[in-house]
Amino acid sequence: MNSQNNIEKIGEPALSPHKKLNSKESVSLNRKKKWKDAGLFSLFVGPVFLTFAVIVLIPFFTGVYYSFTDWNGVTGNVSWVGLDNFKYLFTEDKQFQASFLLTIKYTVVTIILTNGIGFGLALLVTQMLKTSNILRTVFFMPNLLGGLLLGFIWQFIFVKGFASIGQITGIPLFNLAWLGDQHTAFWGIVIVSVWQGAGYIMIIYIAALQNVPQELIEAAKIDGANRWEILRNITMPLVAPAVTICLFLTISSSFKVFDVNLSLTNGGPFKSTEMLALNIYTEAFVNNRYGLGEAKALIFFIVVAAISIIQVTYNKKKEVES
């Protein structure tokens, strides 16, 4: 009898403990959920976006507007001049053109030296040496100093320190007018920048080298590969993502060099070492031609952004191919 009742209960449709929602109530609940998610998103992202807009977006678009005006940065008189600022830069402003070419030269040299020395230091300190931790600290310490302070320190070294060493040793290298000649002053800026940036790049390469599987290296050694073959065929392809990051960082920092240039030479002698960022600063805040300075800054932004995008895209493509 009980089994018959159970069979009958099984045949009956199961009743839901909750009332089934109709379509209107379902739409209302989905709408409330969306508003709740949007509120939470705004709560977490809103302050960050507002700060980013105030600090970055608004000044950027304001600067783009001023690049088409003749505003001097002081008075309230702003006149629209269209493309006149850009025409002037490409036809008459020889100092801007010279600074642009000098910055490109400086960027190429600094990228090669910073990445080469940084990678070499990373290879050195990843060897099983007793002094590896001390060497990492020593090589990274210059990056902790600010560019202005670093420039003034090296200015004293180039002017006073090298002169004293030259008098004692008689070595011609130390008797050069390092900051008084345009050629040696350029290399002085390069030396300081590479000395400061190589340690930071070294840390990125160390992280990449430590992720290289040791089994591959041991297998290559067993097969008779030497250190150069291991470096070229195993290590370099595996650290390619780190190379992409380091190239991006060094390109952007080299193009934007300002503090070392200002404190070490201030563009001298006779503006022969005036990089693009210092030229923009001088135009806007010293010569009080803010509109022209913004036009230079806009060109500067477009060039750096284009080079960075091309570099990252090309290196990512090479990573996939390798």
Side-chain angles (χ1 to χ4, degrees):
M1 191 71 181
N2 292 332
S3 62
Q4 185 176 357
N5 291 336
N6 291 335
I7 293 172
E8 291 176 357
K9 290 180 180 179
I10 292 172
E12 295 176 359
L15 297 177
S16 174
H18 302 288
K19 182 181 177 182
K20 192 172 183 180
L21 299 175
N22 57 41
S23 59
K24 290 184 178 179
E25 291 175 336
S26 178
V27 170
S28 177
L29 283 176
N30 289 334
R31 187 175 299 169
K32 288 180 180 179
K33 186 176 182 301
K34 289 180 179 179
W35 277 107
K36 182 180 178 181
D37 293 341
L40 289 173
F41 180 81
S42 301
L43 179 64
F44 287 102
V45 180
V48 178
F49 178 77
L50 181 63
T51 304
F52 179 76
V54 171
I55 296 176
V56 178
L57 293 181
I58 295 176
F60 174 78
F61 288 110
T62 304
V64 172
Y65 166 73
Y66 283 128
S67 67
F68 296 95
T69 67
D70 64 350
W71 188 41
N72 61 8
V74 180
T75 64
N77 299 323
V78 181
S79 300
W80 183 267
V81 296
L83 298 175
D84 289 350
N85 288 334
F86 299 94
K87 292 178 182 177
Y88 173 78
L89 294 181
F90 288 110
T91 57
E92 300 181 32
D93 196 339
K94 302 301 181 182
Q95 184 56 47
F96 171 73
Q97 299 169 18
S99 297
F100 196 95
L101 294 175
L102 182 67
T103 305
I104 293 176
K105 176 184 175 182
Y106 166 83
T107 301
V108 172
V109 174
T110 306
I111 288 171
I112 295 173
L113 292 179
T114 303
N115 282 276
I117 294 175
F119 186 74
L121 295 177
L123 287 175
L124 175 64
V125 299
T126 50
Q127 305 300 317
M128 301 305 292
L129 302 175
K130 294 181 180 180
T131 57
S132 291
N133 292 331
I134 298 175
L135 290 176
R136 293 185 191 190
T137 305
V138 171
F139 295 146
F140 184 73
M141 279 181 64
N143 190 258
L144 301 177
L145 298 176
L148 286 173
L149 179 61
L150 200 65
F152 288 124
I153 291 173
W154 273 91
Q155 186 184 69
F156 175 81
I157 293 174
F158 281 129
V159 175
K160 301 293 184 180
F162 279 17
S164 300
I165 296 174
Q167 289 178 357
I168 296 172
T169 61
I171 300 176
L173 179 66
F174 295 105
N175 289 321
L176 296 174
W178 275 93
L179 302 182
D181 181 79
Q182 61 176 349
H183 302 293
T184 53
F186 169 81
W187 287 107
I189 298 174
V190 170
I191 290 170
V192 176
S193 299
V194 172
W195 185 75
Q196 182 187 27
Y200 182 75
I201 299 301
M202 175 196 71
I203 297 298
I204 300 175
Y205 282 130
I206 287 174
L209 289 172
Q210 289 177 340
N211 288 326
V212 175
Q214 293 299 314
E215 296 81 4
L216 293 177
I217 296 177
E218 294 297 331
K221 290 180 179 178
I222 293 173
D223 290 337
N226 55 38
R227 291 186 177 182
W228 168 247
E229 291 172 338
I230 293 173
L231 178 65
R232 184 183 62 182
N233 298 317
I234 297 177
T235 305
M236 290 302 298
L238 292 177
V239 300
V243 175
T244 302
I245 296 172
C246 291
L247 286 177
F248 174 78
L249 292 174
T250 49
I251 287 173
S252 58
S253 63
S254 298
F255 262 107
K256 296 184 296 184
V257 62
F258 173 78
D259 43 10
V260 173
N261 190 196
L262 177 66
S263 58
L264 198 61
T265 65
N266 197 21
F270 305 108
K271 293 186 176 294
S272 60
T273 61
E274 187 179 70
M275 303 291 177
L276 197 52
L278 182 58
N279 179 264
I280 294 171
Y281 169 82
T282 304
E283 193 70 70
F285 300 107
V286 178
N287 299 337
N288 289 330
R289 295 197 288 186
Y290 195 85
L292 197 59
E294 284 292 348
K296 293 181 178 183
L298 182 59
I299 296 172
F300 185 36
F301 167 77
I302 294 172
V303 171
V304 174
I307 292 175
S308 300
I309 292 172
I310 293 171
Q311 175 261 318
V312 171
T313 304
Y314 175 76
N315 283 356
K316 286 294 183 182
K317 183 179 179 182
K318 296 296 289 184
E319 289 176 23
V320 174
E321 291 176 356
S322 60

